[in-house]
Amino acid sequence: MTSSVIVGEDEEDSFTKPLGRLSVFYYGVGHMLNDITASCWFTYLLLFLTQIGLSPRDAAIVMLSGQVADGFATIFIGELIDRFGHFKIWHAAGSLLVAISFSSVFGGCLPCSILHSTSLTIETLSYSTFAAIFNIGWAATQVSHMAMVNCITLNSTSRVALTSSRNAFSMVANLGLYAIALVVFGVSKADTKENTESQYRWIAYSCITVGCCFVIIFLMGTKEPRLRINLRESNRTRIPWAYWFRKILYYQVAVVYLLTRLVLNVSQAYLAFFVIDDLQMAQSAKALIPAIIYICSFIVSVMLQEIPWNGKRLKAYYCAGGIIWMFCGVSILLLPRSINSFMYAISVFIGIANALILVTAISMQSVLIGSELGGCAFVCGSLSFLDKMSCGLALYVLQSHQSATSPQVDVNIQHSFNFSVTRYGLGLVPAVCSFIGVAVTYFMELDSTILKPLCQPLLLE
């Protein structure tokens, strides 16, 4: 006869109380290593691979191999976390694998050096292998960190605060990357293949060092969630996958999360290409425009932590961000080269929209999970699987047609521009995804209950 231990009212009440500032801070920095390496991955990987001699299609294969490995790893790791728990162990193991493998992605072709070969096939296989290893470690860290939100607290507003904090430090990580890149690109010149590899190797080493410092802070400041441990006493069975597949909300949240990641990742991958190749802006714009985007996202993410959240507000703020992105996408599609400085103003609104849709899309996962913690890692893992596969395929298709551009189209008769792949990737794809995401969100039925609102600011002393 199995014993049934029910969590006491006082103990359960402690899980619904608002979290303190330090708890939110320690959790927020836990994804910094993933964020700074992912920013480097999406911003510079395609650029780096083409600069060292790989064709756009081979570069796309490397990107796709990493995304596919990441996608399948999220499902497998999510299942293991649901079965055995130990979020921090998975997080630490994934971070270690990321730190070891990331420098090899940008550090040159190791098999080529061993075999004394200059074969492009061997180079492609080498980079694809290390990209897959890196993304497996990245998936372990991501799934464990995302799933922890639902097991730290039952308070809906605190869950959004944790997500907002994570997103705010994600913006800090992105800004850190561009600061590092600006210094490296300014100090050294990439006049040869070896110098180009050296540039990105130093960027990779710097990213790993900074990210690992914050991983240590996270591991020291965050405790293994007690909520997960206590609730398992009263419900030892893991929630089967079929339970989630029977819920309409699961599919709605999955579509919104997938589209949100497509907006962010595809736009980030083609931003540098667009400002340099299409708009022919100064080289400094390659770092300055992304910096403006992330500064605006950081400010909005901090502001979102001070709002008492419910289902209606999640929907409203997501729709607001999606609509802003639609206007930005149309502006990018129609932006002529002669007024390329207008891109700085567009980047401000892109940063605002990115923060709104990302924070609310991730928070919708917490609404979906609720108190059903036996499958929280599977939900995070399965949605991340869809995200990785869709982004990998989208970037592969776009990059495979990178050399194809359509004829010039007149704008106001006096100016002309090309409808290039980069313009589609930065403007059309995010705009269409945002439109679909807003439409799906509008018909969602999210629980509007707030367990207990925040009684104090989270990031102010």
Side-chain angles (χ1 to χ4, degrees), residues 241-278:
W241 295 6
Y243 171 81
W244 302 107
F245 293 151
R246 289 193 296 266
K247 301 184 71 169
I248 296 177
L249 185 60
Y250 173 83
Y251 298 99
Q252 293 174 321
V253 172
V255 169
V256 170
Y257 182 74
L258 181 155
L259 294 170
T260 300
R261 286 297 185 180
L262 274 175
V263 170
L264 271 63
N265 293 339
V266 173
S267 63
Q268 183 177 7
Y270 286 102
L271 182 62
F273 285 109
F274 179 71
V275 298
I276 299 301
D277 296 338
D278 288 59

Side-chain angles (χ1 to χ4, degrees), residues 160-161 164-165 168 295-309 317 352 355-356 359 454 458-459:
V160 178
S164 298
S165 178
I295 289 172
C296 294
S297 290
F298 173 78
I299 294 172
V300 173
S301 295
V302 172
M303 293 172 61
L304 291 177
Q305 296 183 43
E306 307 301 325
I307 298 174
W309 288 94
Y317 279 78
I352 295 171
L356 289 174
V359 170
L454 290 174
L458 289 173
L459 298 183

Side-chain angles (χ1 to χ4, degrees), residues 342-377:
F342 189 65
M343 189 63 200
Y344 290 105
I346 296 176
S347 64
V348 173
F349 290 99
I350 290 176
I352 295 171
N354 283 351
L356 289 174
I357 62 176
L358 182 59
V359 170
T360 51
I362 295 177
S363 299
M364 289 176 189
Q365 296 183 36
S366 297
V367 175
L368 169 64
I369 294 168
S371 60
E372 304 289 348
L373 304 183
C376 60

